[in-house]
């Protein structure tokens, strides 16, 4: 196979390759500089000059405005309220805490959104491949509508719907436990606040155990049978849950109830949060639907035929032959659509949900520390991206070790 | 020759195809109890959704009339769209001069349509764009009294189209440099390109827009200001260029190694090889991806709302805040949504068509 390697085009002419440690270092450095170091030096110097010019202007302007550069402002009181927060927050709290509230809000939307979008997306992807023309046609219409209109328009639409819901007194109820009203979506919640936290810890511990157990079993030959795998997995899930169930915390649920003009008890999802979540889920699910469809379709028909010739049933063909190959295509692309969802959650600012970007923007306007706040915001998004692409690289590396990428 | 008319071959084939087609539909809809249940569920869903939609959009809708008539009716208020049509399209642009933005819209749409025809792909197209965009900008600025209309009054569909088109056209040279820089042998150039591309692709567009609106004024010498629209446009261009650079990089990798070697053996230099051999092939491969990117850019320009600009989506939203016509948000969003859908859907179909057309003549 001829590997496209345009970089061969840029190879410097007549370069000899010296060996040995200092020579190798020099060679690496020379490779880095290329064969025309002067022009590159000029370019870098030009970039540095431009940066210096802008930086100097920024320093001048900040001095003129009476702003001291640096991150000391993070400890000052933020002096603005935040509509909703997962941790306790008042206007007297510091900028650092305000930004942390934003990070948590964004993380909550992104995490819940990714899970729901995956579930909906996979269902839709399978429905799209259904041989029933009515079903696949409906899904196609859904995908076309969602993908051909701006996400912001969809968010505005969902926000308008969330605010057009009836007042709490006439709220739509789903089985008298979940209530939809213009003040938000009311859900049952744990009576004790500690219970939710304990459950979250239990889930995290269980997830950690599952990952450890899976990795261990993948190396441990004797555990290749599915029965044992399930047993170990079940243990990994049940043990932490049992541990917390045995603790003193009561896990009783409290259902929201109408008192006067509003609901009491339970937990509430603000209309903005609900609109943002639904908008992001509906949008990303359409993307994931297409990813799943194209991933499954990319597995050649021959694979199905071969598996059928071996006498495998339809379900086993899908599980043993098609999905493992399709997943190699699906997983990397899905990861990037998770990242897109996280980035798109910044559109919250347009419908008034206090996510990271919106709080950073308020902080920047309030404190005048524009450079620092923009830096923090970009650093957070970039580190999320970097973490995910690192994980993806490891995944690719593993895949290529285990028989290459399809 | 026989007397009785034998069906000609195409008719037989067509009839067979019809039968097969009917069988597939029939089996698909009612082939097994499971499929039949799915069909039934779909029909129930459609019966629940379609009639209210039709009633809202057509039967109970108010097409002409006053806000009061609209509030009494249970359907959509298209009279609102009719009343606000001018504002949704052109925003705060002075009404007596609205032929200018209208001309801009027509001009841009014409140039786009011309560029979409593969037979017109020619170097002269670049010249066409290079004249059309300045002309459009000058017209919006109030030519012949250039500068008589501040950019703050540019709004609606012309603003959306201008932002989209300029983002794409101005991003192309930057994207080419970034894509080539990323493949460069020179470490410094490579690193700079990678940093720009990955930072832009790693953060949301809103972040870049905020950074541009907040940072650019600080970065200029005291006393010098930079127009808000220009700031947003700069942010959009750099952001789009990063995504475009990755598309171009894929195109560059798609050009076979032999092409580079052949050009080298002919004694062509770096830039000549690029101009005559590599880029014509690389760009040809990525045209469908460019078209898809254009859809994304059209939809992304709506984000300029968060820095307080009145693009096509925002003018529609704002018109539903008019005290006389308060609250017709659904109509406003339906209308804008339909326009965006029309543009995006046609463009995506065009991209599919192009992909099919370009494939066989490729390598």
């Amino acid at each position: 196979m001829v590997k496209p390697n345009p970089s061969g085009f840029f190879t410097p002419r007549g370069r000899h390759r010296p060996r040995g440690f200092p020579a190798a270092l020099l060679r690496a450095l020379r490779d880095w500089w290329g064969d025309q170091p002067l022009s590159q030096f000029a370019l870098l110097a030009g970039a540095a000059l431009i940066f210096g010019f802008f930086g100097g202007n920024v320093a001048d302007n900040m001095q003129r405005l009476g702003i001291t550069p640096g991150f000391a402002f993070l400890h000052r009181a933020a002096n603005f309220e935040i509509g909703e927060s997962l941790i306790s927050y008042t206007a007297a709290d510091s900028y650092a805490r305000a930004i942390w509230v934003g990070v948590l809000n964004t993380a909550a939307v992104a995490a819940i959104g990714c899970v729901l979008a995956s579930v909906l997306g996979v269902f839709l992807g399978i429905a799209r491949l259904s041989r029933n023309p009515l079903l696949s046609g409906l899904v196609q219409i859904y995908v076309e509508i969602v993908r051909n209109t701006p996400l912001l328009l969809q968010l505005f639409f969902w926000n308008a719907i969330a605010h057009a819901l009836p007042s709490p007194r006439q709220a739509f109820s789903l089985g008298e436990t979940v209530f939809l009203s213009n003040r938000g979506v009311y859900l049952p919640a744990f009576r004790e606040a500690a219970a939710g936290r304990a459950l979250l810890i239990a889930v995290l511990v269980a997830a950690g155990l599952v990952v450890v157990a899976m990795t261990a079993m993948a190396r441990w030959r004797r555990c290749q049978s599915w029965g044992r795998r399930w047993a170990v997995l079940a243990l990994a899930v049940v043990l932490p849950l049992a541990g917390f169930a045995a603790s003193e915390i009561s896990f009783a649920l409290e259902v929201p109830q109408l008192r006067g003009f509003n609901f009491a008890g339970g937990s509430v999802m603000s209309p903005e949060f609900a609109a943002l979540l639904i908008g992001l889920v509906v949008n990303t699910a359409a993307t994931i639907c297409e990813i799943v469809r194209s991933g499954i379709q990319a597995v050649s028909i021959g694979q199905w035929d071969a598996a059928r010739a071996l006498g495998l049933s339809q379900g086993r063909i899908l599980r043993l032959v098609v999905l493992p190959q399709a997943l190699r295509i699906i997983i990397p692309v899905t990861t990037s659509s998770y990242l897109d969802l996280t980035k798109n959650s910044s559109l919250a600012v347009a419908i008034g949900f206090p996510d990271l970007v919106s709080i950073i923007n308020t902080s920047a306007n309030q404190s005048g520390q524009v450079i620092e706040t923009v830096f923090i915001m970009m650093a957070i998004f970039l580190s999320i991206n970097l973490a995910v692409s690192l994980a993806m690289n490891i995944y690719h590396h593993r895949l290529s070790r285990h028989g290459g990428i399809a | 020759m026989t007397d009785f008319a034998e069906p000609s071959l195409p008719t037989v084939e067509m009839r067979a195809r019809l039968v097969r087609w009917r069988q597939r539909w029939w089996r698909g809809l009612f082939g097994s109890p499971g499929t039949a249940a799915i069909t039934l569920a779909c029909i129930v869903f459609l019966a629940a959704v379609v009639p209210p939609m039709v009633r809202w959009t057509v039967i109970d809708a108010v097409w002409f009339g006053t806000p009061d008539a609209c509030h009494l009716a249970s359907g959509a208020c298209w009279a609102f769209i009719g009343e606000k049509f001018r504002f949704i399209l052109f925003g705060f642009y002075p009404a007596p001069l609205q032929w200018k933005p209208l001309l801009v819209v027509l001009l841009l749409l014409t140039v786009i349509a011309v560029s979409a025809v593969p037979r017109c792909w020619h170097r002269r197209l670049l010249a066409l764009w290079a004249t059309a965009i300045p002309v459009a900008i000058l017209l919006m600025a109030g030519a012949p009294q250039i500068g008589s209309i501040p950019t703050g009054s540019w709004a609606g569909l012309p603003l959306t189209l201008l932002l989209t088109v300029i983002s794409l056209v101005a991003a192309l040279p930057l994207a080419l440099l970034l894509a080539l820089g990323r493949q460069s042998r020179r470490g410094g150039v490579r690193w700079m390109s990678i940093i720009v591309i990955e930072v832009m692709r790693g953060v949301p567009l809103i972040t870049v827009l905020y950074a541009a609106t907040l940072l650019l004024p600080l970065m200029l010498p005291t006393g010098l200001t930079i127009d808000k629209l220009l700031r947003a446009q700069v942010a959009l261009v750099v952001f789009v260029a990063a995504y475009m650079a990755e598309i171009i990089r894929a195109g560059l990798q798609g050009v076979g190694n032999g092409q580079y070697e052949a050009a080298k053996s002919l004694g062509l230099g770096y830039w000549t090889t690029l101009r005559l051999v590599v880029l014509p092939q690389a760009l040809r491969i990525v045209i469908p991806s460019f078209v898809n990117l254009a859809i994304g850019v059209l939809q992304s320009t709506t984000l300029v709302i968060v820095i307080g600009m009145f693009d096509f989506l925002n003018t529609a939203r704002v018109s539903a805040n008019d005290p006389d016509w308060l609250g017709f948000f659904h109509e406003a969003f339906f209308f804008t949504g339909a326009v965006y859908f029309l543009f995006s859907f046609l463009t995506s179909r065009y991209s599919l068509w192009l992909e099919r057309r370009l494939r066989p003549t490729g390598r």
Side-chain angles (χ1 to χ4, degrees):
Chain A
M1 195 187 101
V2 182
K3 228 175 151 187
N5 178 23
S7 62
F9 173 58
F10 302 93
T11 318
R13 270 151 292 178
R15 200 153 51 87
H16 63 95
R17 295 190 162 268
R19 286 157 206 278
F21 166 67
L25 195 72
L26 269 178
R27 199 178 70 210
L29 205 66
R30 212 167 72 177
D31 273 354
W32 196 84
W33 275 110
D35 53 344
Q36 283 163 309
L38 270 185
S39 65
Q40 187 179 195
F41 185 76
L43 189 81
L44 288 180
L49 263 179
I50 293 174
F51 258 98
F53 172 69
F54 285 142
N57 286 335
V58 170
D60 286 351
N61 283 322
M62 284 178 92
Q63 200 176 17
R64 190 169 48 86
L65 295 169
I67 301 163
T68 25
F71 290 93
F73 77 99
L74 285 174
H75 301 292
R76 292 209 308 266
N79 286 329
F80 60 86
E81 292 290 344
I82 296 177
E84 53 188 305
S85 150
L86 292 172
I87 51 176
S88 66
Y89 171 85
T90 60
D93 280 323
S94 65
Y95 278 110
R97 194 167 174 87
I99 292 173
W100 181 236
V101 168
V103 171
L104 288 180
N105 279 348
T106 293
V109 170
I112 304 173
C114 285
V115 172
L116 293 182
S118 311
V119 174
L120 185 61
V122 168
F123 267 110
L124 288 173
I126 293 168
R128 179 77 179 78
L129 284 173
S130 155
R131 264 181 238 152
N132 189 325
L134 204 54
L135 183 63
S136 66
L138 277 177
V139 176
Q140 194 182 359
I141 291 174
Y142 163 84
V143 171
E144 291 291 352
I145 290 178
V146 169
R147 298 192 84 182
N148 286 315
T149 49
L151 174 59
L152 193 57
L153 175 73
Q154 293 169 29
L155 287 182
F156 282 153
F157 172 75
W158 292 114
N159 200 34
I161 287 203
H163 284 282
L165 284 171
S167 66
R169 291 194 147 210
Q170 281 92 37
F172 292 127
S173 84
L174 306 173
E176 295 295 319
T177 45
V178 177
F179 296 91
L180 307 175
S181 81
N182 60 2
R183 299 261 190 100
V185 178
Y186 292 83
L187 302 160
F190 293 113
R191 193 157 290 152
E192 282 181 41
R197 223 170 296 146
L199 198 67
L200 186 68
I201 294 170
V203 168
L204 289 180
V205 170
L209 278 179
V210 166
V211 169
V212 170
M214 294 273 262
T215 329
M217 279 190 304
R219 295 177 180 205
W220 194 20
R221 291 237 153 225
R222 272 194 307 175
C223 262
Q224 294 292 322
S225 84
W226 272 101
R228 281 187 200 154
R229 282 187 194 182
W230 282 120
V232 174
L233 287 186
L235 266 184
V237 175
V238 167
L239 274 181
L241 289 186
F244 282 95
S247 64
E248 297 289 292
I249 305 162
S250 133
F251 283 92
L253 281 180
E254 190 180 42
V255 174
Q257 262 157 7
L258 193 64
R259 301 250 171 78
F261 291 106
N262 209 342
F263 285 95
S267 71
V268 60
M269 214 198 286
S270 70
E272 291 82 19
F273 183 88
L276 179 65
L277 190 62
I278 294 173
L280 290 175
V281 166
V282 164
N283 193 280
T284 312
T287 315
I288 293 181
C289 162
E290 285 296 278
I291 294 170
V292 169
R293 179 186 66 87
S294 59
I296 292 179
Q297 278 180 342
V299 178
S300 76
I301 292 282
Q303 298 284 324
W304 287 88
D305 292 343
R308 232 172 265 139
L310 287 174
L312 293 179
S313 68
Q314 198 77 2
R316 299 190 91 190
I317 294 175
L318 204 63
R319 187 164 65 80
L320 297 174
V321 178
V322 175
L323 273 187
Q325 298 180 60
L327 281 179
R328 289 183 181 185
I329 304 165
I330 291 172
I331 288 178
V333 200
T334 315
T335 321
S336 82
S337 69
Y338 288 159
L339 283 179
D340 283 344
L341 187 147
T342 312
K343 285 188 269 173
N344 285 338
S345 72
S346 60
L347 266 64
V349 68
I351 58 170
F353 175 74
D355 77 321
L356 173 66
V357 174
S358 127
I359 287 177
I360 287 276
N361 188 38
T362 317
S363 307
N365 288 328
Q366 190 101 352
S367 66
Q369 310 274 358
V370 174
I371 304 256
E372 295 84 349
T373 43
V374 167
F375 176 80
I376 293 173
M377 169 163 68
M378 293 210 165
I380 291 172
F381 276 109
L382 285 180
S383 42
I384 296 173
N385 258 47
L386 209 62
V388 172
S389 37
L390 262 181
M392 243 29 259
N393 278 347
I394 295 171
Y395 172 79
H396 266 268
H397 186 68
R398 280 185 63 96
L399 266 193
S400 50
R401 252 192 345 199
H402 294 286
I405 294 157
Chain B
M1 278 287 148
T2 46
D3 275 336
F4 39 84
E6 240 179 63
S8 60
L9 208 58
T11 327
V12 173
E13 217 171 64
M14 223 141 81
R15 196 171 295 166
R17 200 181 295 163
L18 195 73
V19 168
R20 257 184 317 207
W21 184 78
R22 212 161 49 194
Q23 271 177 351
R24 212 180 43 232
W25 266 79
W26 186 250
R27 214 176 294 149
L29 287 174
F30 304 105
S32 70
T35 1
I38 292 174
T39 307
L40 203 68
C42 288
I43 290 172
V44 168
F45 173 77
L46 285 175
V49 170
V50 172
M53 278 288 284
V54 172
R55 225 176 296 135
W56 186 78
T57 46
V58 183
I59 298 171
D60 291 344
V62 179
W63 296 87
F64 306 98
T66 58
D68 296 330
C70 278
H71 282 299
L72 284 176
S74 61
C77 178
W78 301 125
F80 159 74
I81 299 291
E83 177 74 24
K84 292 285 172 189
F85 194 68
R86 200 203 73 81
F87 185 83
I88 294 176
L89 277 191
F90 303 128
F92 298 110
Y93 206 89
L97 298 174
Q98 71 187 33
W99 58 272
K100 286 175 183 172
L102 184 66
L103 206 61
V104 167
V105 170
L106 293 178
L107 174 71
L108 292 179
L109 288 180
T110 315
V111 177
I112 291 170
V114 169
S115 315
V117 183
R119 223 186 316 158
C120 299
W121 291 349
H122 191 268
R123 262 154 228 248
R124 261 175 291 173
L125 211 54
L126 288 178
L128 180 65
W129 279 104
T131 41
I133 289 180
V135 165
I137 293 174
L138 292 179
L139 261 178
M140 286 300 283
Q145 291 88 37
I146 291 160
S148 62
I149 294 159
T151 54
S153 333
W154 300 17
L157 194 57
L159 180 66
T160 293
L161 285 179
L162 260 183
L163 282 173
T164 309
V165 162
I166 296 179
S167 301
L168 287 164
V169 173
L172 184 62
L174 185 57
L176 268 175
L177 288 181
L178 285 174
L180 293 172
R182 195 168 183 163
Q183 293 194 326
S184 170
R185 270 257 165 209
R186 303 169 193 178
V189 176
R190 195 168 61 238
W191 281 16
M192 268 161 56
S193 311
I194 290 178
I195 289 174
V196 172
I197 292 175
E198 291 307 324
V199 166
M200 284 299 142
R201 278 159 42 91
V203 299
L205 175 56
I206 290 190
T207 323
V208 184
L209 283 174
Y210 273 146
T213 39
L214 295 171
L215 280 183
L216 278 182
L218 276 182
M219 275 157 58
L220 292 175
T222 315
L224 207 67
T225 53
I226 172 169
D227 188 73
K228 190 163 147 193
L229 178 62
L230 190 58
R231 279 182 257 166
Q233 185 65 75
V234 168
L236 269 169
V237 167
V238 179
F239 189 80
V240 172
Y243 283 83
M244 206 182 256
E246 287 298 273
I247 294 177
I248 294 177
R249 187 164 73 119
L252 288 175
Q253 284 173 345
V255 177
N257 225 8
Q259 299 286 329
Y260 290 94
E261 284 158 10
K264 207 170 176 181
S265 69
L266 283 177
L268 298 184
Y270 176 80
W271 293 105
T272 329
T273 309
L274 273 185
R275 193 165 57 84
L276 297 178
V277 181
V278 178
L279 285 185
Q281 299 181 60
L283 292 183
R284 188 185 170 83
I285 304 173
V286 297
I287 288 173
S289 309
F290 271 180
V291 178
N292 287 334
L293 181 71
I295 301 174
V297 175
L298 171 70
Q299 300 187 356
S300 301
T301 55
T302 53
L303 297 198
V304 297
I305 290 178
V306 297
I307 52 169
M309 287 165 54
F310 290 91
D311 78 325
F312 186 50
L313 177 56
N314 209 13
T315 49
R317 195 171 65 124
V318 168
S319 57
N321 281 331
D322 181 341
D324 289 338
W325 296 86
L326 192 62
F328 293 112
F329 286 105
H330 288 127
E331 288 81 352
F333 293 148
F334 194 97
F335 175 69
T336 13
V339 174
Y340 276 107
F341 181 85
L342 198 72
F343 281 138
S344 307
F345 185 74
L346 288 180
T347 316
S348 73
R349 288 299 114 150
Y350 167 70
S351 158
L352 286 179
W353 173 79
L354 209 56
E355 220 169 307
R356 265 202 307 277
R357 197 192 130 98
L358 290 179
R359 198 176 297 145
T361 48
R363 281 162 302 118

